[in-house]
Amino acid sequence: MFYFRIFIIGLVALSIGNCYSMDFYRIQIYEILCQDCGSSELDCKAILSKDQSIQESVLEFPVGKKNGEGFYIAQHFAEINPRFRNRYHLGEDWNYVGGGDTDFGAPVYSIGRGIVSMTKDLGGGWGKVIRICHSLNAEASQKLGYEFVESIYAHLSEFHVSTGDRVERGRWLGSIGNSNQAYPSHLHFEMRNILGEDLGGGYESEIPAYFIKPSQVIQSLQALR
Ligand SMILES: [Zn+2]
């Protein structure tokens, strides 16, 4: 019995120690996000390849009623961030023009028709994340030079879709959050032209070739309208 009590006390001490070290870890590196968040939960390439009705021709901005109206990019794609060892930002940070937390709870929309490949609360610097895979029609593929696009919406405060959902352009996916108060609320938004790669850390010392500049890609497809 004595040894059993010692064992239980040891277990409790160990779990408290872990909580503290996790908190410490999170505070120290919160915007490095995570090193190994894994890939999408759903391999949607097969689904998209089989079902042509899921193809998309035009993309929209993920915030604002139209063309990101009322929002601005606080941190651009490929911007070097001195706070994170001078590494490149791999997405765009969208904020409401009101500044501060005025965008907390604002709707985040799907940029196009597609399949939700992940809805997950990763905690830490990522918070709640939605990943959507899109298949482009022939005209859009020709314009961009690739067939698939993945869109990633991070730091959300809530989800309105689930993994496996088929969504249309403009679908309300979730709302802007602050990743459990890790920073002022904003949408960290990434786009890639390969599906299901690891989520990574939001910053890199070299930008992998499959990361694409979100606003530029969206605008170039809108020009086809
Ligand atoms: Zn960001």
Side-chain angles (χ1 to χ4, degrees):
M1 195 60 191
F2 174 74
Y3 287 110
F4 180 70
R5 278 190 191 149
I6 294 289
F7 174 69
I8 294 298
I9 290 166
L11 271 186
V12 170
L14 203 67
S15 58
I16 291 171
N18 269 340
C19 290
Y20 277 123
S21 62
M22 275 172 74
D23 270 340
F24 178 73
Y25 179 78
R26 195 176 75 213
I27 292 161
Q28 291 299 302
I29 62 152
Y30 63 84
E31 246 233 338
I32 295 176
L33 308 176
C34 62
Q35 299 299 329
D36 185 23
C37 290
S39 47
S40 303
E41 289 174 346
L42 186 76
D43 178 10
C44 48
K45 199 165 177 178
I47 304 170
L48 292 174
S49 303
K50 266 187 210 158
D51 187 350
Q52 294 211 338
S53 75
I54 307 172
Q55 284 185 345
E56 184 56 287
S57 56
V58 173
L59 300 175
E60 268 293 352
F61 286 88
V63 288
K65 280 185 180 157
K66 202 174 188 324
N67 297 330
E69 223 171 72
F71 287 79
Y72 71 101
I73 299 172
Q75 187 181 190
H76 288 268
F77 177 76
E79 203 172 306
I80 291 173
N81 193 323
R83 284 175 62 213
F84 302 105
R85 289 182 276 154
N86 288 322
R87 294 184 302 164
Y88 296 102
H89 188 226
L90 299 177
E92 288 174 342
D93 286 348
W94 284 87
N95 283 77
Y96 188 62
V97 287
D101 284 329
T102 53
D103 45 11
F104 189 91
V108 172
Y109 305 110
S110 177
I111 60 163
R113 179 180 294 148
I115 301 288
V116 178
S117 58
M118 188 183 103
T119 50
K120 206 170 193 175
D121 188 350
L122 295 164
W126 273 111
K128 291 189 174 75
V129 177
I130 296 176
R131 301 178 70 162
I132 299 184
C133 46
H134 312 273
S135 172
L136 301 172
N137 73 358
E139 192 187 11
S141 299
Q142 200 178 10
K143 169 95 178 173
L144 295 177
Y146 40 82
E147 193 181 345
F148 298 104
V149 166
E150 184 173 320
S151 55
I152 299 175
Y153 315 75
H155 315 334
L156 303 176
S157 56
E158 55 181 0
F159 293 133
H160 289 288
V161 289
S162 307
T163 304
D165 284 357
R166 174 182 168 150
V167 294
E168 296 299 319
R169 189 187 332 136
R171 168 71 188 270
W172 185 12
L173 302 175
S175 304
I176 290 184
N178 53 22
S179 196
N180 300 313
Q181 301 178 336
Y183 14 68
S185 62
H186 68 277
L187 173 71
H188 173 89
F189 177 62
E190 291 182 10
M191 281 176 69
R192 306 164 174 202
N193 63 16
I194 296 180
L195 306 178
E197 287 291 316
D198 276 1
L199 201 51
Y203 293 87
E204 284 284 355
S205 48
E206 278 177 45
I207 300 174
Y210 57 86
F211 280 85
I212 50 181
K213 187 177 175 178
S215 50
Q216 189 182 53
V217 172
I218 292 168
Q219 275 162 352
S220 71
L221 283 193
Q222 287 186 343
L224 292 175
R225 268 174 167 165

